[in-house]
Amino acid sequence: MNSRLARPLLHPLGRLALPLVLAASLTLSGCGYNDFQRLDEQTRAAWSEVLNQFQRRADLIPNLVETVKGEAAFEQETLSRVIEARARATAIQVTPEMLDDPQAMERFQQAQGQLGSALSRLLAVAENYPNLKANQGFQDLRVQLEGTENRVTVARNRYIESVQQYNVLARSFPSNLTAMVFGYQPKPGFTVADEAAISTPPKVDFGSQGGR
């Protein structure tokens, strides 16, 4: 009697606990949980590179503005638009949560797009100023900006691809069930218009035609 009382009593659910844990682990692996982790990190890394290139462009603009100011007759309205657009773009607080906020992403894209347009306008107007075209410092900055725009394009393409992979996983069966359980929402990307023009960086190289 005492030996029977000393024997531990196992609840039927207790005997099922280990198999259930193993089954849950296999289910998570098979339904894309690990893929969500990998693609989420990949997307964040790609976005960081986009930000790095936009910051590089922003850092070049003050020197460009100072160089252009040396041309007394330069259009002040064009110059002011670049300064204001840069201020708006750099004023946006970039946080990791932005990747999951469509409105924040849209505001960021609009600000960067406005800066790119203002910058392209400034460089195009500079075509009319021989002193600027002959200024080696200005030409060096122009070349650096052109390289940066190309890097921005490459970085944005990589980010778009990463978001597409993540979103396909979030919307496909059965991984969409894992997304629902763990709250993996599709990520906002660049707008359709931006994606259509993504392969063509803004043209800032006007020097090759200036002497014709």
Side-chain angles (χ1 to χ4, degrees):
M1 183 68 179
N2 292 337
S3 61
R4 293 182 61 186
L5 290 174
R7 182 181 302 171
L9 298 177
L10 295 178
H11 193 279
L13 292 179
R15 292 195 294 270
L16 292 176
L18 182 58
L20 286 174
V21 170
L22 293 175
S25 299
L26 292 173
T27 300
L28 288 175
S29 176
C31 290
Y33 179 82
N34 291 337
D35 290 331
F36 275 114
Q37 301 301 308
R38 175 178 58 82
L39 291 177
D40 186 55
E41 290 299 322
Q42 178 177 299
T43 301
R44 292 178 184 277
W47 180 243
S48 294
E49 183 59 22
V50 171
L51 296 180
N52 286 340
Q53 297 308 325
F54 277 135
Q55 185 61 52
R56 186 174 186 272
R57 179 175 70 176
D59 290 343
L60 289 170
I61 291 176
N63 288 337
L64 179 71
V65 168
E66 289 303 315
T67 303
V68 171
K69 282 182 178 179
E71 184 65 41
F74 194 83
E75 297 181 12
Q76 292 302 307
E77 181 180 357
T78 300
L79 191 60
S80 296
R81 286 181 178 177
V82 171
I83 296 172
E84 293 169 1
R86 181 185 183 276
R88 287 193 296 269
T90 55
I92 295 178
Q93 183 179 6
V94 178
T95 64
E97 291 74 23
M98 178 182 288
L99 290 178
D100 301 316
D101 186 341
Q103 287 75 28
M105 284 289 291
E106 183 177 357
R107 289 192 297 270
F108 179 83
Q109 292 174 57
Q110 287 178 348
Q112 294 296 337
Q114 290 169 1
L115 177 55
S117 296
L119 185 58
S120 295
R121 171 62 181 168
L122 182 148
L123 293 172
V125 168
E127 175 81 7
N128 302 321
Y129 295 85
N131 290 340
L132 276 178
K133 292 170 63 177
N135 185 313
Q136 187 59 48
F138 178 82
Q139 292 301 321
D140 290 343
L141 287 168
R142 177 184 59 77
V143 171
Q144 291 182 61
L145 284 166
E146 182 183 34
T148 299
E149 293 292 355
N150 290 332
R151 292 187 184 94
V152 165
T153 299
V154 172
R156 288 190 304 185
N157 272 329
R158 289 175 178 169
Y159 174 71
I160 288 172
E161 291 172 1
S162 296
V163 169
Q164 287 175 337
Q165 293 176 29
Y166 180 95
N167 287 347
V168 166
L169 186 68
R171 295 184 175 116
S172 299
F173 182 84
S175 54
N176 64 331
L177 301 179
T178 302
M180 291 172 58
V181 171
F182 291 96
Y184 293 119
Q185 299 296 325
K187 295 180 181 293
F190 285 94
T191 62
V192 174
D194 287 331
E195 291 182 29
I198 210 73
S199 61
T200 306
K203 293 182 179 180
V204 298
D205 185 10
F206 56 84
S208 60
Q209 298 182 5
R212 295 184 182 179

